[in-house]
Amino acid sequence: MSAARLIGLDWGTSSLRAYFLGAEGSILEQRDSPLGIMRVQNGDFAGAFAQTCGDWLRTHPQAPVLLAGMIGSKQGWTEAPYCACPADAAAIAAALAPLPLSGRSAHIVPGLSCANAAGVPDVMRGEETQIIGALSAAGSHLAVLPGTHSKWAWVEQGAVVRFASYMTGEIYAALSGHTILGRMMQADAPHDPAAFVRGVRYGLEAPQELMSRVFSARTLGLFGQLSEAALPSYLSGLLIGSEIAGAAGATPHADAITILGNAALTQRYVEAFAIAGMATAAGPADCAALGLWRIAKSAGLLA
Amino acid sequence: MSAARLIGLDWGTSSLRAYFLGAEGSILEQRDSPLGIMRVQNGDFAGAFAQTCGDWLRTHPQAPVLLAGMIGSKQGWTEAPYCACPADAAAIAAALAPLPLSGRSAHIVPGLSCANAAGVPDVMRGEETQIIGALSAAGSHLAVLPGTHSKWAWVEQGAVVRFASYMTGEIYAALSGHTILGRMMQADAPHDPAAFVRGVRYGLEAPQELMSRVFSARTLGLFGQLSEAALPSYLSGLLIGSEIAGAAGATPHADAITILGNAALTQRYVEAFAIAGMATAAGPADCAALGLWRIAKSAGLLA
């Protein structure tokens, strides 16, 4: 019998990343594709999958397949119902949704759901796999996954206990693209570190005033206090600062805060947290790969 | 000499309202036009003005003209520099910008500017005229003008001391039109009072969590707890509740709170304030007309 292998995909809305994994989740090969679920024509997910990983499927007919992310949503290949928090790798593994793929073990990782103190539900899809990959250690952790919909997840002893979404990235895009704030902005300006810091500080100071404070991204331009090139970084900082101040107030104690995101965004959050007086660490790259491996192992797929 | 008359316009971005005013600011005639400054072709404001009020100009060659609103902005007819707060009718009258209009007294009302505790500027154009019209009495007043950019103005002894803008209306439009929240909404649904109240309560509870709480306008739909028809009213309530809770925390004591807006929006704010335990009164209709009259009188234009 050959060594365990796994074909694992982090398949999101606008792109996907495919991994061919070996012992202990080591990445043997990796591919990026723009075929996010919203870009797959006519719902032909099987075709998109074959197009991306066909050679792996052919050369490794025994390798199990595990998909995480929006591919398990109602708009995806097969709906994988949410797994309720608290959820660790074992709970997620027990809730995998089988995917009919000729003569092969194939599954979709469920997203997670939880309810806040007011009973209002929240959901994630894909981030749970990154968290499982990044945070297997004992103790209490806060995992922050910045992005279109940032997630703040409280993780204890390897289980996601509770989490909250912040629409920071999508609100940034809506404000800069579809309100008066965008009119004075130089949309393609390079990152302006000083303007970013100024925005972070202003946002941290009074997150409850966010709908008022964002208007400063117009008035500071009107009064010549910030240039058109500085305004995008300023608004980004203002939203991130507001997110951190608002979310930190709702956060139980954690032994450590880990940021899981792409390099540029992680750097912005690490800096903003530092301004707020909170130490953070950037998580490992490709934690989705390790999460897929751990979930597959927990489900007994690698036996 | 005939009795004093005034041709006064509240000339905004997307529409204008023209008044022909008589003794004590009584409205002798009133006209609405879609010729807001963004809809005037080739900057021909003189033509748009003549088209709207030409007969008044002909029949009353002595009547002074006073324009308020975005018509005094950089994109308007003649720029009227901002008047710094605190500003009462006399200060505004002293800062009118002359408008060259053949052989007639004609002016534009300046907008107001102020700076908050952090030194960040804020601006209004047009609302100052409504406030002057609605609140001439002694005492301290809070005037709330809901809209695209809601204004909260602290008025003492008839002077606007300080104010803050909230982008509530424009953020509602951006979120419902250009984020994932809009996908499940029935955009043209009638107002849903129960969903509105639910949103207000959730927003009032934690305005610092706004970027997270707005995501509930998706998850409550996903989990079937709110219908697609209820979601627009829910999101509206959530934003208005957040605005009120955030702004009220930054508000000095006022003897009274007056809402100045159109009937539908005023009703929503009166209700949301009531849920927050704050008594309000709706201001008089057409306070812009009375404000134009008072400013003209203060400037000696009606002599």
Side-chain angles (χ1 to χ4, degrees), chain A residues 9 11-12 15-18 31-57 67 71 77 101:
Chain A
L9 274 75
W11 199 335
S15 66
L16 71 80
R17 177 165 289 179
R31 288 170 194 168
D32 291 328
S33 158
L35 286 173
I37 69 160
M38 289 314 198
R39 291 177 179 157
V40 170
Q41 299 295 312
N42 306 315
D44 182 16
F45 297 106
F49 181 57
Q51 185 182 330
T52 309
C53 313
D55 55 337
W56 297 344
L57 294 168
L67 315 178
I71 191 66
W77 194 344
L101 206 64

Side-chain angles (χ1 to χ4, degrees), chain B residues 140-242:
Chain B
S140 63
H141 296 265
L142 173 61
V144 176
L145 297 92
T148 304
H149 299 162
S150 294
K151 306 293 180 185
W152 286 56
W154 292 271
V155 185
E156 291 194 0
Q157 317 301 334
V160 179
V161 176
R162 188 162 67 83
F163 63 89
S165 301
Y166 289 77
M167 290 184 64
T168 316
E170 197 170 16
I171 289 174
Y172 175 83
L175 291 179
S176 55
H178 301 284
T179 74
I180 199 173
L181 301 185
R183 291 218 207 127
M184 295 179 74
M185 283 184 184
Q186 184 188 322
D188 58 353
H191 184 61
D192 181 322
F196 177 75
V197 168
R198 182 170 177 178
V200 169
R201 290 189 194 285
Y202 199 50
L204 281 171
E205 201 177 82
Q208 73 280 8
E209 289 272 293
L210 178 65
M211 287 199 293
S212 179
R213 296 209 159 196
V214 288
F215 196 56
S216 66
R218 175 167 173 77
T219 57
L220 289 171
L222 269 181
F223 284 78
Q225 295 184 31
L226 277 177
S227 70
E228 298 195 352
L231 287 172
S233 298
Y234 174 76
L235 180 61
S236 168
L238 179 49
L239 294 179
I240 292 172
S242 296

Side-chain angles (χ1 to χ4, degrees), chain A residues 116 120-123 149 165-167 170-171 178-180 202 208-212 215-216 219 223 239 246-247, chain B residues 116 120-123 149 165-167 170 178-180 202 208-212 215-216 219 223 239 246-247:
Chain A
N116 68 12
V120 174
D122 208 331
V123 292
H149 299 162
S165 301
Y166 289 77
M167 291 185 63
E170 197 170 17
I171 288 175
H178 301 284
T179 74
I180 199 171
Y202 200 50
Q208 74 279 9
E209 289 272 293
L210 178 65
M211 286 200 293
S212 179
F215 195 56
S216 66
T219 58
F223 285 77
L239 294 179
Chain B
N116 68 11
V120 174
D122 209 329
V123 293
H149 299 162
S165 301
Y166 289 77
M167 290 184 64
E170 197 170 16
H178 301 284
T179 74
I180 199 173
Y202 199 50
Q208 73 280 8
E209 289 272 293
L210 178 65
M211 287 199 293
S212 179
F215 196 56
S216 66
T219 57
F223 284 78
L239 294 179

Side-chain angles (χ1 to χ4, degrees), chain B residues 10-196:
Chain B
D10 181 7
W11 199 335
T13 301
S14 54
S15 65
L16 71 80
R17 177 165 289 179
Y19 299 99
F20 186 55
L21 303 175
E24 303 306 316
S26 59
I27 299 172
L28 304 178
E29 203 178 333
Q30 156 178 342
R31 286 170 195 168
D32 291 329
S33 159
L35 286 172
I37 70 161
M38 289 313 200
R39 291 177 180 158
V40 170
Q41 299 295 312
N42 307 313
D44 181 16
F45 297 106
F49 181 57
Q51 186 182 327
T52 309
C53 313
D55 55 338
W56 297 345
L57 294 167
R58 280 189 296 278
T59 55
H60 292 79
Q62 308 292 328
V65 166
L66 190 58
L67 315 179
M70 291 298 284
I71 190 67
S73 70
K74 203 169 294 195
Q75 292 77 38
W77 195 344
T78 285
E79 190 174 359
Y82 293 107
C83 177
C85 285
D88 58 9
I92 293 170
L96 296 184
L99 185 68
L101 207 63
S102 59
R104 180 187 301 263
S105 157
H107 297 83
I108 297 186
V109 175
L112 299 188
S113 67
C114 70
N116 68 11
V120 174
D122 209 329
V123 293
M124 63 166 61
R125 275 200 192 275
E127 293 92 348
E128 73 295 325
T129 302
Q130 295 180 57
I131 294 168
I132 294 298
L135 300 176
S136 63
S140 63
H141 296 265
L142 173 61
V144 176
L145 297 92
T148 304
H149 299 162
S150 294
K151 306 293 180 185
W152 286 56
W154 292 271
V155 185
E156 291 194 0
Q157 317 301 334
V160 179
V161 176
R162 188 162 67 83
F163 63 89
S165 301
Y166 289 77
M167 290 184 64
T168 316
E170 197 170 16
I171 289 174
Y172 175 83
L175 291 179
S176 55
H178 301 284
T179 74
I180 199 173
L181 301 185
R183 291 218 207 127
M184 295 179 74
M185 283 184 184
Q186 184 188 322
D188 58 353
H191 184 61
D192 181 322
F196 177 75

